[in-house]
Amino acid sequence: MFNLENRFQSFLKLFQKLLIVHWQTLLLLFVGVGLPLLIFEQLAIIVWQNGGFVWDRFILLSIHQTAQPGLDTFAKTITPLGVKKGVVPATIAIAVIMLYRKRWRSLTYLLLAVGGTGVINLIAKALFHRDRPALWEAAAHAGFSFPSGHAMSSMSFIAALVILTWGTRWCWLIATLGSGFVVAIGWTRLYLGVHFPSDILAGWMVSLAWVIGVNLIIRPHLKPENLEPPSEETSLMPEELQT
């Protein structure tokens, strides 16, 4: 005979066990993926419907008031590090080291995390078609504005390194110095007048969501039992083989 109360109690027991086992993953999914995507969604809606925010213009003009020759030189020197002269060569160098050390799972994660943001950026810019700021004579810069490719590239690179070094003595050093790097790249894009603040914020949010989401799928720290480096990342896990 069907007993609804017993079925419901059984469900509650399993539900509780699943929450106990997976609460950290669920929290990371909510904080690291859900909230950033929600923020990006709200920014994207306003940009799509209204073309931007009032505070975009206010913040850009406030930053421009600090302009001086020394900061001009600093910004122009630092900003290329966000993609072509910094993140890209650094990613390639780390990828070669991982390949040599047979860290294939970590290498897969790094390439998907950093490379994926580039693809997302191209698609988003083609979709939103937001023009660059034109509040003053800025350095010539082609392409669309939303979201910022430099912000996405720098954030995805640093966030991926933090995840890859999680639990080691390098993690907090990378997180601290990397946060400064990400903020500095974002500031240069605003100082040079080639991006709106909402471009930067949107780039950070979607990059965080992507990098953390890929981490939950690839799980670069997952290691088969009874295997020692460097062979520990050269094969699929039993649960992955089942799929």
Side-chain angles (χ1 to χ4, degrees):
M1 182 178 178
F2 180 77
N3 190 317
L4 180 60
E5 183 178 356
N6 289 341
R7 297 289 180 89
F8 186 68
Q9 290 179 351
S10 297
F11 162 72
L12 288 179
K13 289 180 181 179
L14 178 60
F15 182 74
Q16 183 180 21
K17 290 178 181 179
L18 289 174
L19 288 182
I20 292 174
V21 171
H22 297 292
W23 73 269
Q24 291 179 318
T25 301
L26 292 171
L27 181 62
L28 181 61
L29 182 64
F30 176 72
V31 176
V33 179
L35 287 182
L37 283 181
L38 181 61
I39 295 173
F40 175 79
E41 177 196 24
Q42 295 303 308
L43 292 170
I45 289 174
I46 299 300
V47 169
W48 181 270
Q49 295 179 344
N50 302 328
F53 300 82
V54 175
W55 47 266
D56 272 330
R57 180 185 178 90
F58 174 77
I59 293 175
L60 274 182
L61 291 176
S62 297
I63 292 176
H64 186 57
Q65 291 178 357
T66 67
Q68 53 183 285
L71 288 179
D72 292 348
T73 302
F74 177 76
K76 292 177 181 179
T77 301
I78 296 298
T79 201
L81 299 179
V83 184
K84 294 182 179 180
K85 294 185 178 181
V87 170
V88 171
T91 300
I92 293 174
I94 295 173
V96 171
I97 294 173
M98 288 180 173
L99 186 64
Y100 175 77
R101 298 185 61 187
K102 296 184 179 180
R103 314 297 286 195
W104 295 348
R105 183 178 292 272
S106 297
L107 175 58
T108 300
Y109 171 71
L110 178 68
L111 295 179
L112 286 176
V114 179
T117 56
V119 176
I120 294 172
N121 182 258
L122 291 175
I123 295 174
K125 285 185 175 180
L127 177 63
F128 289 98
H129 277 189
R130 188 185 197 185
D131 292 329
R132 300 271 179 178
L135 301 181
W136 66 86
E137 185 179 354
H141 205 93
F144 297 109
S145 184
F146 184 89
S148 167
H150 282 69
M152 290 183 66
S153 176
S154 57
M155 175 61 81
S156 64
F157 177 68
I158 296 302
L161 288 186
V162 170
I163 290 175
L164 287 169
T165 58
W166 191 262
T168 72
R169 65 179 181 273
W170 298 104
C171 180
W172 292 109
L173 178 62
I174 291 175
T176 302
L177 297 179
S179 297
F181 173 71
V182 170
V183 172
I185 294 297
W187 171 83
T188 64
R189 307 309 287 167
L190 301 178
Y191 181 85
L192 294 173
V194 295
H195 275 295
F196 294 103
S198 53
D199 298 334
I200 305 298
L201 182 58
W204 286 346
M205 292 299 101
V206 73
S207 292
L208 276 177
W210 173 256
V211 170
I212 294 174
V214 173
N215 169 63
L216 294 175
I217 297 173
I218 302 299
R219 293 181 291 175
H221 297 294
L222 191 63
K223 301 176 182 179
E225 295 180 358
N226 302 322
L227 288 178
E228 297 295 333
S231 60
E232 61 187 5
E233 293 191 12
T234 61
S235 60
L236 293 176
M237 303 299 297
E239 59 267 35
E240 292 173 330
L241 290 172
Q242 292 176 2
T243 60

